[in-house]
Amino acid sequence: MANVRNAADVTGENPVEADVVIVGAGLFGLVTAQQITEHTDKTVHIIDIRDHIGGNAYSYFDKETGAEIHKYGAHLFHTSNDRVWEYVNRFSKFTNYVHRVYTTHDGEVFPLPVNLGTINQFFHAAYTPEEAKRLIEQQAGEFAHIEEPQNLDEQGKKLIGEPLYNAFIRNYTGKQWQTDPSDLPASIIRRLPVRFNYDNRYFKDTYEGLPADGYTRWMENMIDSDRITVTLGVDFFDENQPYSKGKLVGTVPVIYTGPVDKYFNYELGELKWRTVDFKEVRYDEEDHFGVPVMNYADADVPYTRAIEFKNFNPERREQQNPRKTVVWEEYSRFAERGDEPYYPINTDADKELYAQYKERAAAEPQVVFGGRLGTYAYYDMHQVINTALIAYEKQVKPLLQ
C-alpha cells in the first residue's frame, strides 16, 4: 500500500515533495489520489489530522470478540450506480450482506421500514396489501385538512396517520434532533416510506454488501501506489509544520476535504452539525440482538439505536469469539466546535451561509473542496465516491495539465 507514516515519528525530517497535496484521508481524498496516480504520472501526498486513513469509514478488529468495529458508527455500502459498483470492486470483494433493521416499541420488536409485516403486527391483524393501504389512507386522511403542515408532527401524521407515526417516528426523531417534533420543521420528513408487502430490506439499491476483508483493508488497497504517500497526525492549520495552509495554497494543487467554514477561519460564522456519541456495552453471549442494528422508538430509552457489529459479518463466525459480543449504543446531539460533525443541520440560515462560503471557495487558487465537510452535505459512501470521480474529471485533472 502507500507509504504511511505518523507526523510524530518524522519530526525534523524534510517534508515529502509531491505534485498534489490532499487534506483528508477519507473516501473523497483516497479516491481522488487513486485517480490521479492511475491517469497521470503525478505524485500525491495525503495528510490527515487523525491517526488512521479512511475518515468516518475507518474500521478495526476487536481483539476480544473478533468483530469488525466501525469506529464512527455503522457503515453500509449500497448503490445503484454501475460505475461506482465496478470501481469499488476493483479494490475488494464484497459480501452478500443485506441490511435489515428492527425497532423496539413498547416492549415488542417490529421490522422496519414500515411494511405489511409491521402493520399487521402493530394492529394485530391479517390485512391484505389493499386492506392495509386503505387503512393507512384513512388514518392519514384524518389530517388531510392540514394543507401546509407547520411542523414535523403535522407532516408525519398527514403522511402515514397518527398511530404508526406516534409509534415508530415521533420519539425516535425527537431523540435524533433533541427537539420535540412539534418544534421541528415539516421539511425534515418530506416522505415516509410504507411498503404494502413483507419486504423489509432496508435499502432498495441494486447492489449491496460489505468489504470482505474490512473497510480499512479496502481503502488501503485503493491507495496501493508508490506515488502516494500519507502522513497522519498533521494539522493543516498549524503553520509551524510544512503541510500547512499558508505554505501550500497557491504553490501546489490542494484537494481539501475538511470543514469549509474552518478553512476560512469561521469568518462568516459556523455551519451547524449534529454528532453522535457511542457507549460500548459488552455481553458474555455469542449474540445479543440477533440483528446488526436495533432501533429504539420510545422516548424512555435515551439512545436511538444499538449496533451489534458481529452480526454484520456472519461469514466470519469461525474467527469470532462464541462467548463474547460487543454492542455500541448511539446517542445523537447537536455538535459543538471540536466534536465530530456527522449530519449537517441544513436550516435555511445554514444553507445561506454555506452559499457564501462556496463562493469564497470557488475563488481559492488551485484548491478543490470535496467530501461531506468540504461541501456541507450528507453523503452515503457511494455518493462520496461518485462525487470524487466526477471532481477528478472536471476539477482536479484540469489543474494537473
Side-chain angles (χ1 to χ4, degrees):
M1 62 168 290
N3 176 25
V4 178
R5 61 186 195 166
N6 291 295
D9 299 330
V10 294
T11 303
E13 293 187 15
N14 293 327
V16 174
E17 293 185 5
D19 298 312
V20 183
V21 173
I22 296 178
V23 182
L27 274 173
F28 189 95
L30 300 182
V31 171
T32 305
Q34 188 279 325
Q35 287 288 282
I36 291 171
T37 54
E38 178 176 356
H39 298 292
T40 76
D41 60 357
K42 306 297 184 182
T43 56
V44 180
H45 189 61
I46 304 171
I47 62 171
D48 199 298
I49 197 168
R50 291 172 169 172
D51 62 358
H52 59 75
I53 70 166
N56 282 11
Y58 169 75
S59 69
Y60 62 91
F61 285 87
D62 180 64
K63 292 182 179 179
E64 182 182 44
T65 64
E68 181 186 352
I69 306 295
H70 305 179
K71 184 173 181 177
Y72 302 93
H75 275 67
L76 308 163
F77 195 86
H78 56 97
T79 185
S80 293
N81 187 316
D82 291 335
R83 182 190 186 193
V84 169
W85 183 243
E86 291 169 5
Y87 179 81
V88 300
N89 275 271
R90 292 173 53 188
F91 309 105
S92 175
K93 293 181 179 179
F94 279 72
T95 69
N96 59 0
Y97 175 79
V98 173
H99 191 50
R100 291 182 169 86
V101 173
Y102 293 82
T103 188
T104 298
H105 164 63
D106 198 20
E108 193 171 351
V109 175
F110 296 83
L112 289 179
V114 173
N115 59 71
L116 190 56
T118 318
I119 294 168
N120 277 331
Q121 183 179 347
F122 182 76
F123 291 107
H124 305 288
Y127 294 122
T128 66
E130 285 302 317
E131 289 170 339
K133 190 177 298 184
R134 286 197 295 271
L135 173 70
I136 303 308
E137 288 174 350
Q138 176 188 352
Q139 293 179 345
E142 294 175 8
F143 301 90
H145 62 282
I146 304 176
E147 294 185 9
E148 293 292 335
Q150 298 301 302
N151 55 57
L152 190 147
D153 255 352
E154 292 182 354
Q155 176 78 350
K157 294 172 184 177
K158 185 179 174 71
L159 287 172
I160 63 171
E162 189 166 17
L164 291 175
Y165 168 75
N166 283 345
F168 300 115
I169 308 300
R170 188 183 198 283
N171 292 318
Y172 187 89
T173 304
K175 288 188 291 185
Q176 275 189 314
W177 288 88
Q178 291 188 301
T179 304
D180 190 284
S182 62
D183 295 323
L184 289 170
S187 59
I188 290 177
I189 52 169
R190 299 188 183 280
R191 61 183 299 272
L192 286 171
V194 177
R195 298 175 185 167
F196 295 101
N197 55 34
Y198 291 95
D199 177 15
N200 70 329
R201 179 183 173 188
Y202 195 76
F203 302 116
K204 300 186 75 173
D205 284 298
T206 306
Y207 309 108
E208 185 174 358
L210 303 175
D213 297 318
Y215 276 103
T216 298
R217 177 60 59 84
W218 166 45
M219 292 181 286
E220 288 173 345
N221 292 341
M222 197 177 295
I223 55 170
D224 185 10
S225 168
D226 58 7
R227 286 188 286 118
I228 299 175
T229 52
V230 182
T231 305
L232 302 172
V234 177
D235 184 353
F236 180 61
F237 300 100
D238 177 5
E239 293 299 334
N240 294 317
Q241 56 84 25
Y243 304 110
S244 65
K245 176 185 174 184
K247 294 182 177 70
L248 293 174
V249 173
T251 64
V252 64
V254 172
I255 316 301
Y256 176 78
T257 67
V260 62
D261 51 357
K262 186 175 182 179
Y263 182 94
F264 294 103
N265 198 30
Y266 307 104
E267 291 172 3
L268 304 177
E270 291 187 44
L271 294 164
K272 301 298 187 293
W273 295 79
R274 284 189 297 122
T275 189
V276 292
D277 298 317
F278 300 100
K279 178 183 176 182
E280 182 176 284
V281 184
R282 291 177 180 264
Y283 296 95
D284 295 327
E285 307 168 9
E286 181 176 14
D287 190 350
H288 186 68
F289 286 116
V291 294
V293 177
M294 179 66 73
N295 286 5
Y296 286 88
D298 299 334
D300 59 353
V301 179
Y303 45 94
T304 54
R305 62 180 183 173
I307 305 164
E308 187 166 10
F309 293 100
K310 264 189 173 183
N311 290 326
F312 286 125
N313 300 100
E315 76 280 359
R316 297 179 187 157
R317 283 298 182 193
E318 291 185 2
Q319 290 80 47
Q320 296 172 343
N321 187 338
R323 296 177 296 278
K324 299 281 186 179
T325 190
V326 59
V327 169
W328 282 17
E329 297 168 353
E330 185 173 310
Y331 300 77
S332 178
R333 62 180 173 85
F334 288 102
E336 299 177 359
R337 191 182 294 189
D339 288 329
E340 291 291 347
Y342 279 74
Y343 307 104
I345 301 294
N346 263 335
T347 63
D348 290 340
D350 286 312
K351 293 174 183 177
E352 181 179 343
L353 180 58
Y354 171 64
Q356 296 176 50
Y357 277 126
K358 184 178 180 181
E359 186 175 349
R360 283 197 176 192
E364 282 295 285
Q366 298 188 84
V367 181
V368 174
F369 290 75
R372 294 181 310 113
L373 305 180
T375 59
Y376 192 61
Y378 176 74
Y379 289 127
D380 286 329
M381 287 181 287
H382 67 285
Q383 294 168 321
V384 175
I385 292 168
N386 188 51
T387 58
L389 292 172
I390 294 171
Y392 167 74
E393 294 171 347
K394 294 188 175 182
Q395 296 175 272
V396 178
K397 186 177 178 181
L399 290 178
L400 307 180
Q401 294 175 340

